[in-house]
Amino acid sequence: MVKAAFLGLGVMGYPMARHLKAKGHEVTVYNRTTAKAEKWVSEQGGRLAKTPAEAAAGQDIVFACVGNDDDLRQVTLGAEGAFKAMANGAVFVDHTTASAGIARELHSAASAAGFGFLDAPVSGGQAGAENGQLTVMVGGDQATFEIAQPVIMSFAKAARLLGAPGAGQLAKMMNQICIAGVVQGLAEAIHFGKQSGMDIEAVIDVISKGAAQSWQMENRYKTMNAGKFDFGFAVDWMRKDLGIVLEEGRANGAKLPLTALVDQFYAEVQAMGGKRWDTSSLLARLER
């Protein structure tokens, strides 16, 4: 068992920290809105910290799952950031979906200060976090990964080191590229079927057993067909992620025409009032 801190108790971080505590680790939590951290401690036990630095002091591993690069920089390098208090030989594991650039920046700062850093974004959504079934894509050093991996498995079904610092974030970008294309294809198929008068449930039951099968089809077609879009990953978050993808693509020369197009489709969903709808709401744009 280790002494661990968790920074950021949003829809992902809250249950991830809970799984750490349930596995017997000693857990300290920090959240920008203190009331959320107080609620977590009242439910789970553990200790509440008022700043990231206070949370990180004396810990073996510090986890973070916050909003974006700016939030991450604030909780790590800010005036009361965790990096000011990390112990020599400790490990900082970042589960934020952020840029590869900040992952490399923070790895460098951590190495200079004598502790480890892993960029480790996750896939599996809120349900994966609640059920402890996340997939974790990791960038960093092998030795650091070997220390952190058994603890990461408290809330994950798989965690793999994919390369140097930044590789975890690059893998998450690939993940989001795949999701964007699949969801758009599923939305168009359901829209096409409705326009043709097909029995959507009957058709999906058949084609989901063939080459068209996907996680999105299995888990989202019923709610899409019912016009319900309040499940899982929000459009605002997907646009943030696709923005990171497209910026990286401009930097590395990758051609991402479909990703750019779907990003604009999501912008239209936002304009329809769907900022907090889940990503399957691409269908709502087609049915306006």
Side-chain angles (χ1 to χ4, degrees), residues 69-223:
D69 283 23
D70 291 340
D71 296 331
L72 182 57
R73 194 172 279 110
Q74 182 63 36
V75 300
T76 54
L77 303 176
E80 298 178 304
F83 278 24
K84 297 187 180 302
M86 294 285 294
N88 189 273
V91 176
F92 191 100
V93 181
D94 175 39
H95 293 301
T96 308
T97 296
S99 70
I102 195 169
R104 298 181 187 113
E105 174 188 340
L106 295 180
H107 179 273
S108 178
S111 297
F115 60 90
F117 178 89
L118 299 172
D119 55 290
V122 301
S123 182
Q126 185 176 353
E130 293 284 355
N131 296 322
Q133 293 291 300
L134 293 170
T135 298
V136 188
M137 299 151 272
V138 187
D141 306 319
Q142 181 70 39
T144 304
F145 176 72
E146 290 175 1
I147 294 169
Q149 192 263 353
V151 187
I152 291 172
M153 294 307 292
S154 298
F155 46 76
K157 64 179 179 181
R160 181 167 179 174
L161 182 67
L162 296 170
Q169 296 297 351
L170 292 171
K172 180 61 183 285
M173 293 176 209
M174 293 170 66
N175 185 80
Q176 301 306 74
I177 291 168
C178 291
I179 290 173
V182 169
V183 175
Q184 177 62 21
L186 180 58
E188 290 186 15
I190 292 173
H191 175 63
F192 176 89
K194 287 183 173 183
Q195 292 295 108
S196 302
M198 298 294 289
D199 181 334
I200 302 300
E201 294 231 1
V203 174
I204 296 293
D205 182 64
V206 173
I207 68 174
S208 66
K209 295 176 174 62
Q213 190 276 340
S214 68
W215 186 97
Q216 299 293 336
M217 181 178 288
E218 292 288 337
N219 291 274
R220 289 289 176 265
Y221 93 86
K222 287 187 177 181
T223 53

Side-chain angles (χ1 to χ4, degrees), residues 7 9 14 17 34 52 65 79 84 103 108 159 190 197 202 250 276 285:
L7 315 179
L9 299 175
Y14 200 99
T34 305
C65 190
K84 297 187 180 302
S108 178
I190 292 173
R250 286 189 288 271
R276 305 301 296 178
R285 172 187 163 273

